[in-house]
Amino acid sequence: MPVAEPGFFDAGDLVAVLTARPLARPLDYLAPEGGCHAGAFVEVPLGPRNVPGVVWGPGRGDCDRAKIRPVSRVLDVPPMREEMRTFLIRAAEYTLTPLPAMLRLATRAPGLGDPPSMRRIYRLGPARPGRLTEARRRVLEVLEEYRGLSFTLKELAEMAGVSASVVKGLVKLGAVVEEDAPRDLPYPPLRATAPGLELTAQQAAAAARLRQGVASGRYGTTLLRGVTGSGKTEVYLEAVAECLARGRQALVLLPEIALTAEFLERVEARFGARPAEWHSGITRTERRRCWRMVAEGGAQLVVGARSALFLPFRELGLIVVDEEHDSSYKQEDGVIYSARDMAVLRGSICSAQVILASATPSLESWANAEAGKYARLELASRFGPSALPDMRAIDMRTEKLPAGRWISPQLQEAVQGRIAAGEQALLFLNRRGYAPVTVCRACGHQIGCAHCDARMVEHRFLGRLVCHQCGESRPLPEACPDCGAEGRLAPVGPGVERLAEEVAQLFPQARVAVLSSDLFASSRALKARVREISEGAHDIVIGTQIVAKGHNFPHLTLVGVIDADLGLQGSDLRAAERTFQLMRQVAGRAGRGDRPGQALLQTFQPEHPVIRAILAGDEEGFWRAEAAQRRAAGMPPYGRLAGIILSGPDARGVFDFANRLARNTEPLTAIGARVYGPAPAPIARIRGRHRVRLLVKAGKAAPLQPALARWAGQFRLPANLRLQIDIDPQSFY
Ligand code: ADP
Ligand code: ZN
């Protein structure tokens, strides 16, 4: 008699199937002919259609068996592993997300059910034609940049922004090869045992500890802290090597796609081939390939954005969260989750090591390390001769600046000196566009967005006003939309585009690059510019916060912060922490080569404790002071918060419902939590929807999520209202 295999359902058994449809729970079906495994990816009939789903477990059998339909088919993909199901369930519970929405995150691969097939792909060929048209050159650039990845004709043409005939022309020349290949190829193997760079004693000690952790085969989280340029990447690559050598898979999360190019090259130099990539910049073909290969074991290392955490790893042994403090790890819409926290959860479920790397850790991680929940490793000094930049304030109260100018004489002189020495300077201003406000000089009206409670921001390169909340844009009007006065509209305040104008006047000879996310049509274009800058093609770089994110600019020796006070305004819980991190990160861009760097901070409040802490470089002191304040106030990470955002088309309806929420808080008060609000959100309207916030504050050990679920469960939400619950909120807009 055959022995029943655990987790296997024979044909006709009742199984519960979870789909991504917003239903309250998995539905019962009959296991198909040939049976199926728990976790199998299947298609099931739902109403008139077939929808994809996952066999979640045995069926409940609480409805009429005669009506239960069989599973239509089992997809040819490895079943979802139990640890993945556990991860999705726990992540759903933590973030108060319905399980179907969580499943959607885990199945974001097009054509999952399609059978393996051949398709025509395009790659670099041997011929190197001498003279090329611009369009042809772009095609070759794309292929060069994404070496190792395969493209269909349509994808390649789209990526290069050319027509298919351009690609075909290159095929005729032999510069591009056209061939039929299996759809899902494994990634080339990485040489895990190849030696890395020779490490310093400090680096080697840290690497040894990380290797030990991976070798233990157990879960553990380590905070790897080290100033920018101290070799954190080099050190965690050692842990990756150990993980790969043990036949387990590794995942490295980066906060910004523009950083991946440099990282991929380092991986290639170290391990002899490029890893799998997972982010919004890859094609649908690659997305499917990556998903399948991760599941089948044909991908050893994945470099990706936060959503890579939901890939179906077969044997995940290590997760690195690089620049762990970065706010982009928090997904703010759709499923609201923190990839950093979910990485720790996933690691703990699949016995993987987690490395959180940063020069300026989040207070959460710092506190967890203090409390002994995380191990802590420090790299105190920069690698080689490069020293940390000298940091100084420029007191703007004593600098005389004409209207419409933002670069102080002191800063100007410093920049001049660097250019003369053939070095690079960075001017940092965290404001996209030309000017944050456009005001009518006749009536004082400020141009706002029609759908949002936000001012329109002038983008001069585009010739338009843009709302940074909803993305709506319109041409800059001639006349004031309020009083009709002609030619009286004026920009107020600086954005990077306006700063670029000032720079052009002050340094007419300088080669200037502006780095701002909105100025690049594609992540490829942005990456290309980052590369040019790191090769020294520009004298002055003007950038928003995207320049702060871990780029390596060896020629850069001066950083000028145009407005160091910008992030300190407002009452945001994390204003001090964020400003501290951002300023230290930006300053860290200077002097990574062999020449010493300097950072100059323009400020109107040089005595502000945060500014003083930044200048003093006393990180430990800063964290301690900040931690003491938060502890005294019962704020995270020493207490817990949940943000409740209620939105709807009419302000009255939203407020009325919010008031009902605020009056019936018994499930929350029962756990000692307090409810604040309702209050109009700081941005009280987005895309025509009025927004109201409540804030729930609880003790660190309080069972917040179940209480929130009970609380929200008491109400029937009117169809036009939307209720979002943001656990551990990072932003409060
Ligand atoms: P971090 O990640 O802390 O910013 P990186 O690992 O990127 O630091 O190192 C900064 C620079 O120093 C890189 O160019 C890296 O190749 C180099 N570097 C770091 N450690 C060593 C080493 N032991 N030997 C040679 N170069 C090193
Ligand atoms: Zn808007």
Side-chain angles (χ1 to χ4, degrees), residues 269-284:
R270 169 80 207 258
F271 297 115
R274 289 158 80 92
E277 285 178 63
W278 179 270
H279 50 70
S280 59
I282 62 171
T283 62
R284 289 168 59 86

Side-chain angles (χ1 to χ4, degrees), residues 449-452 454 456 467-472 686-687:
C449 174
H451 318 287
C452 306
M456 298 287 271
C467 170
H468 286 183
Q469 294 309 321
C470 70
E472 167 104 346
I686 297 183
R687 291 192 177 87

Side-chain angles (χ1 to χ4, degrees), residues 211-547:
R211 276 183 177 271
Q212 263 166 30
V214 172
S216 77
R218 287 198 300 268
Y219 159 73
T221 296
T222 304
L223 176 60
L224 174 61
R225 201 179 123 183
V227 293
T228 33
S230 59
K232 291 184 295 298
T233 311
E234 218 50 57
V235 167
Y236 73 63
L237 283 178
E238 291 292 307
V240 170
E242 182 73 33
C243 179
L244 301 186
R246 292 182 175 266
R248 299 183 79 185
Q249 293 167 299
L251 167 63
V252 174
L253 297 181
L254 300 174
E256 172 75 49
I257 313 180
L259 288 174
T260 50
E262 190 192 325
F263 185 79
L264 293 174
E265 265 159 36
R266 277 176 86 161
V267 169
E268 190 174 11
R270 169 80 207 258
F271 297 115
R274 289 158 80 92
E277 285 178 63
W278 179 270
H279 50 70
S280 59
I282 62 171
T283 62
R284 289 168 59 86
T285 315
E286 277 301 327
R287 192 165 266 272
R288 175 189 139 116
R289 173 190 181 201
C290 181
W291 197 97
R292 285 189 81 107
M293 287 305 122
V294 166
E296 290 172 15
Q300 294 163 281
L301 170 62
V302 178
V303 177
R306 60 190 177 209
S307 59
L309 264 183
F310 294 90
L311 284 171
F313 288 95
R314 203 160 78 147
E315 180 55 71
L316 184 58
L318 173 67
I319 308 173
V320 177
V321 184
D322 201 354
E323 311 280 346
E324 68 90 33
H325 63 279
D326 198 285
S327 57
S328 66
Y329 282 122
K330 181 75 188 270
Q331 172 148 312
E332 299 273 8
D333 47 35
V335 177
I336 302 180
Y337 69 94
S338 151
R340 186 230 305 145
D341 297 348
M342 291 302 115
V344 172
L345 174 62
R346 180 140 200 203
S348 70
I349 292 171
C350 65
S351 302
Q353 289 284 311
V354 180
I355 299 174
L356 307 178
S358 174
T360 52
S362 60
L363 194 61
E364 274 78 6
S365 299
W366 183 87
N368 279 330
E370 281 285 296
K373 277 173 72 180
Y374 298 168
R376 176 163 161 167
L377 292 173
E378 306 259 351
L379 299 174
S381 53
R382 281 190 162 186
F383 175 75
S386 59
L388 274 180
D390 160 44
M391 298 186 65
R392 257 181 240 164
I394 295 179
D395 186 344
M396 295 301 278
R397 293 168 306 191
T398 59
E399 294 283 313
K400 294 285 168 276
L401 270 183
R405 292 257 321 263
W406 290 275
I407 299 171
S408 65
Q410 259 194 74
L411 182 55
Q412 180 185 349
E413 194 180 317
V415 172
Q416 198 66 62
R418 297 296 165 157
I419 301 179
E423 299 168 7
Q424 233 172 22
L426 164 69
L427 298 178
F428 175 76
L429 175 64
N430 205 7
R431 265 187 176 152
R432 290 180 286 137
Y434 185 80
V437 182
T438 301
V439 66
C440 171
R441 268 198 289 245
C443 74
H445 174 74
Q446 299 183 354
I447 299 189
C449 174
H451 318 287
C452 306
D453 178 23
R455 291 186 286 235
M456 298 287 271
V457 177
E458 180 182 353
H459 284 247
R460 196 158 284 192
F461 293 165
L462 293 174
R464 298 178 81 84
L465 293 168
V466 180
C467 170
H468 286 183
Q469 294 309 321
C470 70
E472 167 104 346
S473 75
R474 59 179 129 118
L476 191 63
E478 279 294 309
C480 171
D482 207 44
C483 73
E486 298 244 351
R488 304 298 304 275
L489 292 173
V492 178
V496 280
E497 293 177 9
R498 195 170 193 185
L499 195 61
E501 242 175 48
E502 186 178 349
V503 164
Q505 282 162 16
L506 295 180
F507 313 99
Q509 312 299 332
R511 298 164 302 166
V512 180
V514 182
L515 267 193
S516 173
S517 54
D518 57 303
L519 295 177
F520 295 87
S522 66
S523 64
R524 207 172 64 76
L526 173 60
K527 279 193 280 191
R529 178 55 52 85
V530 166
R531 180 186 303 259
E532 282 169 27
I533 294 173
S534 61
E535 284 165 359
H538 304 90
D539 305 306
I540 301 178
V541 181
I542 299 172
T544 60
Q545 57 163 1
I546 60 169
V547 299

Side-chain angles (χ1 to χ4, degrees), residues 5-9 37-41 54-58 78-91 99 103 106 311-315 345-346 348-351:
E5 205 184 321
F8 189 83
F9 300 98
H37 288 274
F41 285 86
V54 172
V55 174
W56 209 248
M80 182 182 279
R81 300 166 56 82
E82 186 168 345
E83 70 187 31
M84 186 67 180
R85 277 175 280 153
T86 306
F87 172 57
L88 294 180
I89 291 170
R90 302 256 306 264
L99 206 44
L103 181 67
L311 284 171
F313 288 95
R314 203 160 78 147
E315 180 55 71
L345 174 62
R346 180 140 200 203
S348 70
I349 292 171
C350 65
S351 302

